Amino acid sequence: MKILSDYHVHTSFSGDCNISAEVMIEGAIARGISYLCLTDHMDYDYTDGAACFEFDPTEYFRRLLLMKEKYAKQIDLAIGIELGLQPYLSKKHHNLVFSHSFDFILGSVHLVHCKDPYFPAYFKGREEEEAYLEYFQCVLQNLEAYSNFDVFGHLDYVVRYGPNQNTYYSYQKYREIIDEILRSLIKKDIGLEINTGGYKYGLGVPNPYKDVILRYRELGGKIITLGSDAHDPQFLAYEFDRVYALLEECGYHSYYIFHNRTPEEIGL
């Protein structure tokens, strides 16, 4: 199956990546990717851990516009960003989003009350189920606070790092709040990302689960983007053949790319 699109990719503009944009773009071209969107982290006030997830958007655009021109005949390069959502950052995010002509805005939750589930401290001293539920509650709070982005990233991100990962996790266990999240996304015309990082982290499934992807469609959701969450060229379009098959199983006939924050449908 031909790989066409990867819409969640990081470069050295992200605090957790040391690979240049040029190397990532060339890696995508080598893999036959037709549509690539760089979505570097902008997590204002990231206080958990030593990394800084902020960059200069003016320099970002200067560099990526040069890359866009350089590789124009080889790949469709979109300039995106991954916003690290926190409810009190709405005004700051609003100013950033309108400061430059982004093609695509990915909204994700990495911090839950200043703690990142990536670190074991988030789970310390409490039940895994409680920690997962708090994450989903935080997602809902963020959607209520700010919704000027295009697609929500790795909806069940928290499951990657739980003590038992997805051993005891299921959509049914959190159905009520996940459905509320999905209805909010649909109401606000925000798409859902299928993120293959779950395969990389050993879950055997993407983020979110198949049941969540299916439920999104049942509730009327249409906009799906595909993202590898790659921080290294070797993980570009990672396990996308499995995702394409999964989309077909769930009754989808297409997924989406974005230009100037406008969704464009690509058939499977």
Side-chain angles (χ1 to χ4, degrees):
M1 190 171 291
K2 182 173 172 56
I3 296 166
L4 289 179
S5 161
D6 193 337
Y7 257 59
H8 189 157
V9 174
H10 296 282
T11 76
S12 55
F13 279 97
S14 289
D16 56 355
C17 180
N18 59 9
I19 307 295
S20 72
E22 190 162 16
V23 169
M24 293 300 282
I25 294 165
E26 290 179 352
I29 293 168
R31 282 164 175 74
I33 294 170
S34 301
Y35 306 98
L36 179 72
C37 187
L38 301 182
T39 54
D40 281 300
H41 286 293
M42 186 66 90
D43 277 65
Y44 292 121
D45 295 352
Y46 187 89
T47 55
D48 201 358
C52 175
F53 291 104
E54 297 181 29
F55 61 85
D56 179 356
T58 300
E59 177 62 12
Y60 187 62
F61 264 80
R62 187 191 71 80
R63 290 271 302 280
L64 295 193
L65 286 172
L66 290 173
M67 296 296 101
K68 194 177 180 78
E69 181 179 0
K70 179 178 179 178
Y71 296 103
K73 294 183 179 179
Q74 297 169 274
I75 196 166
D76 184 305
L77 178 65
I79 301 176
I81 193 168
E82 182 179 13
L83 296 181
L85 302 174
Q86 296 191 68
Y88 71 93
L89 290 174
S90 297
K91 185 175 181 180
K92 203 164 187 177
H93 285 153
H94 182 81
N95 291 338
L96 172 63
V97 164
F98 288 101
S99 68
H100 292 82
S101 299
F102 289 99
D103 288 302
F104 179 64
I105 309 290
L106 185 66
S108 302
V109 172
H110 300 117
L111 289 177
V112 180
H113 304 130
C114 301
K115 290 187 176 181
D116 190 337
Y118 179 85
F119 297 106
Y122 175 77
F123 298 94
K124 188 175 181 180
R126 57 180 173 161
E127 295 296 320
E128 184 178 73
E129 185 173 343
E130 176 191 350
Y132 286 5
L133 180 59
E134 184 185 21
Y135 180 85
F136 290 124
Q137 290 170 337
C138 186
V139 169
L140 201 54
Q141 290 166 5
N142 274 288
L143 286 173
E144 291 168 355
Y146 188 73
S147 58
N148 192 358
F149 55 93
D150 304 310
V151 169
F152 193 87
H154 46 56
L155 176 56
D156 48 17
Y157 165 87
V158 65
V159 178
R160 291 181 184 175
Y161 310 110
N164 299 291
Q165 291 189 311
N166 58 340
T167 302
Y168 306 110
Y169 167 75
S170 70
Y171 157 69
Q172 290 295 335
K173 185 177 287 189
Y174 303 92
R175 177 172 184 151
E176 184 175 342
I177 191 162
I178 290 176
D179 278 4
E180 194 172 354
I181 290 168
L182 295 177
R183 288 190 178 98
S184 180
L185 293 177
I186 293 165
K187 182 179 179 181
K188 298 172 185 292
D189 293 321
I190 298 172
L192 182 69
E193 177 194 50
I194 300 180
N195 184 301
T196 58
Y199 294 119
K200 177 185 171 185
Y201 282 90
L203 303 183
V205 293
N207 300 111
Y209 258 39
K210 175 183 177 180
D211 288 349
V212 178
I213 298 164
L214 180 60
R215 185 60 173 156
Y216 176 69
R217 187 182 66 80
E218 290 174 346
L219 291 171
K222 296 179 180 179
I223 298 174
I224 290 283
T225 59
L226 310 181
S228 64
D229 211 345
H231 293 66
D232 186 290
Q234 67 176 313
F235 292 109
L236 286 163
Y238 187 70
E239 298 284 15
F240 273 26
D241 54 341
R242 297 173 72 175
V243 170
Y244 286 150
L246 179 61
L247 281 173
E248 290 180 333
E249 289 174 19
C250 291
Y252 290 90
H253 303 289
S254 61
Y255 57 94
Y256 287 78
I257 61 171
F258 282 75
H259 292 108
N260 299 315
R261 301 198 58 195
T262 301
E264 299 177 15
E265 192 172 11
I266 303 289
L268 289 175

